[in-house]
Amino acid sequence: MKTPVTMLITIAWRNLWRNHRRSLIMLTAIAIGLWGMIWMTALMRGMVDQMIDSSIRTLSGHIQIHAEGFLDDPSIEHSLPPATDNPALLALLESPHVTHWSERIRVPAVIRSERDVHGVTLVGINPQQESGLSFIADSVTEGEYLEDAHDSHILVGRKLLERLETKPGRRIVLMSQDPDNNIAERGFRIGGIFDTELQATETSYVFTGIETARAMLKMGSGVSEISLLGPDYRNLEALAADVRMAAGMADTRTWLELDTYMASMLDVMDGVIVIWFGIIFLALSFGLVNTLLMAVFERTREIGLLQALGMPPANILFMVLVESVIMLLIGLLAGNLLSWLTILPIQDGIDISAVAAGLEWAGMSSTLLPAVKSSDVLLANAIVLVLGIAASLFPAWRASRKVPVEAITRIWQ
């Protein structure tokens, strides 16, 4: 013999399918609502993640260490000693808490070809350390990447090359300032061209070996900055605190502090997602409540008969809630499956090159990669399930409050 709980679940299941059309419409609404939550969130997350990744890979990293005053006046006068002069900092940089790190020299400069002159930022790098840390190694599409820290070739962005009206293999001249405020000038041969999604990056930076830059600028062993990556760009507080302790008086900042625009975008996106989920559920809740109220109204006499036969009001309430939960679970299953089937084919990206030029200011590329995060999927499912059950309490309560005699005679209270 069935237990009361099993019996109530069986009745709820059968009640759900007594009106197939209404139940299927509600299930479809739940599935499409959940799909809309996950789908739009994946696109928005993908957009923001690409913007953040572009910012981090464009020489930002997760954390940067500078000499005091460098960010206000990025000149050669504000330089740091290398990490090898600070054993505590070097030990931290080589620890598992840091995935990649590199030292750089970064100074304003002027580049001159036989045709034109352009203002740029000269960046001296260690080519091996930059791999995996920044965009440089992966973006060289013509010529050769720098071999080592002593490489005297220069990497130039394609757009800058076009403006200078020159080509790989030709010589250009770079001018900057040395520590004595004298002109530091040197000729370089163009060794490679790099291409990026943003033209501003191609026109703003040129790269050479860090030792070559030191020799040109007469700055000894100093560096302009130390950039590093941690395991997660969101959770940097603990790592940043360790870096600040090891770096001493140096100015240590996370990418959130260096790029306040992108930091605010991250906060805004989290809020937008919650609001979006709330709007979708609000639309679903009206349909769910209406469906259950109609189901209860149609079974008024039946509910009154069950109460007259001795079924407690609590069991009536439980039965209607179970009906709601079954509907929600089936809808959630269908919605998750639909989301997976629609996102899987575009996991390699959506081509938005037609409007990419207009979105360049935001750091977006011409391909939008959806980003499905388990936390977003769980949040969407939890909101629909928990708030769906809460919305079902009113119809269930109305059903449990019926007076048997009045219910049997179909008098709605």
Side-chain angles (χ1 to χ4, degrees):
M1 184 177 178
K2 294 183 178 180
T3 63
V5 173
T6 306
M7 179 184 66
L8 292 173
I9 293 174
T10 303
I11 295 173
W13 172 261
R14 291 176 178 174
N15 286 337
L16 181 63
W17 301 110
R18 288 169 68 172
N19 190 320
H20 291 76
R21 181 178 299 177
R22 184 173 61 212
S23 296
L24 288 174
I25 290 174
M26 193 60 227
L27 288 172
T28 302
I30 294 172
I32 293 177
L34 182 68
W35 169 80
M37 289 181 178
I38 297 175
W39 170 262
M40 288 301 298
T41 301
L43 294 182
M44 289 188 291
R45 286 288 191 196
M47 178 184 69
V48 172
D49 283 356
Q50 282 183 268
M51 292 166 63
I52 291 174
D53 182 67
S54 176
S55 174
I56 289 173
R57 285 175 55 82
T58 306
L59 306 185
S60 171
H62 290 166
I63 298 174
Q64 283 190 6
I65 307 171
H66 302 97
E68 285 289 343
F70 177 85
L71 293 176
D72 296 324
D73 179 20
S75 67
I76 197 172
E77 298 174 357
H78 300 110
S79 60
L80 286 168
T84 51
D85 290 358
N86 187 335
L89 178 60
L90 183 61
L92 178 60
L93 294 174
E94 297 290 350
S95 72
H97 301 294
V98 176
T99 58
H100 296 89
W101 70 278
S102 181
E103 296 174 325
R104 302 187 187 116
I105 291 174
R106 190 198 298 225
V107 293
V110 174
I111 188 170
R112 185 180 71 218
S113 70
E114 63 272 23
R115 298 279 186 178
D116 204 353
V117 178
H118 200 276
V120 295
T121 297
L122 169 63
V123 185
I125 62 172
N126 186 316
Q128 287 71 36
Q129 289 182 327
E130 288 293 331
S131 297
L133 175 63
S134 66
F135 72 94
I136 308 169
D138 299 327
S139 64
V140 177
T141 55
E142 188 175 338
E144 299 292 335
Y145 183 51
L146 301 176
E147 291 185 1
D148 53 41
H150 296 273
D151 197 320
S152 59
H153 291 90
I154 194 166
L155 301 179
V156 180
R158 186 171 300 278
K159 195 64 179 180
L160 178 59
L161 204 72
E162 294 174 0
R163 293 184 180 180
L164 295 174
E165 299 183 43
T166 186
K167 59 184 179 180
R170 290 191 175 179
R171 293 183 67 84
I172 52 87
V173 176
L174 270 172
M175 293 182 294
S176 188
Q177 241 180 12
D178 66 18
D180 298 323
N181 295 322
N182 296 319
I183 296 295
E185 181 177 3
R186 174 168 176 160
F188 290 85
R189 193 171 298 278
I190 301 173
I193 303 174
F194 64 87
D195 289 274
T196 62
E197 296 288 350
L198 304 181
Q199 291 186 1
T201 303
E202 294 181 12
T203 59
S204 298
Y205 299 101
V206 294
F207 303 97
T208 190
I210 189 171
E211 295 299 337
T212 302
R214 281 195 180 110
M216 169 187 165
L217 299 170
K218 302 174 185 177
M219 61 181 299
S221 61
V223 298
S224 300
E225 67 187 26
I226 301 174
S227 180
L228 59 101
L229 291 181
D232 182 9
Y233 71 82
R234 281 178 174 266
N235 303 310
L236 294 172
E237 293 81 5
L239 179 59
D242 292 339
V243 173
R244 288 189 179 97
M245 183 176 296
M249 298 299 294
D251 184 6
T252 301
R253 304 195 189 189
T254 66
W255 73 271
L256 295 165
E257 297 169 300
L258 293 169
D259 192 342
T260 54
Y261 169 75
M262 289 308 306
S264 63
M265 279 291 295
L266 191 62
D267 293 335
V268 167
M269 185 55 60
D270 289 339
V272 167
I273 287 173
V274 174
I275 294 172
W276 171 247
F277 285 180
I279 292 173
I280 293 292
F281 176 77
L282 187 62
L284 285 177
S285 63
F286 285 109
L288 181 62
V289 171
N290 181 67
T291 298
L292 292 175
L293 280 174
M294 289 302 298
V296 170
F297 180 76
E298 290 176 354
R299 300 198 300 271
T300 298
R301 295 184 63 186
E302 178 184 321
I303 292 171
L305 182 60
L306 290 174
Q307 288 184 308
L309 292 174
M311 180 177 285
N315 286 3
I316 299 292
L317 186 145
F318 177 77
M319 182 178 64
V320 176
L321 284 179
V322 168
E323 186 176 340
S324 170
V325 170
I326 293 173
M327 183 182 296
L328 289 168
L329 290 176
I330 296 175
L332 291 177
L333 179 62
N336 285 306
L337 180 61
L338 181 62
S339 300
W340 181 76
L341 290 175
T342 52
I343 292 175
L344 184 63
I346 60 170
Q347 60 181 344
D348 293 330
I350 303 172
D351 184 13
I352 56 172
S353 56
V355 295
L359 296 174
E360 183 179 341
W361 64 272
M364 290 183 61
S365 70
S366 59
T367 302
L368 177 58
L369 295 170
V372 181
K373 299 186 181 299
S374 57
S375 58
D376 292 335
V377 175
L378 291 175
L379 179 61
N381 281 267
I383 285 177
V384 174
L385 183 60
V386 174
L387 296 185
I389 293 173
S392 305
L393 287 174
F394 177 68
W397 175 80
R398 287 297 300 266
S400 67
R401 294 285 294 175
K402 291 189 178 302
V403 178
V405 175
E406 295 176 346
I408 292 173
T409 56
R410 297 184 61 86
I411 298 177
W412 180 259
Q413 298 296 327

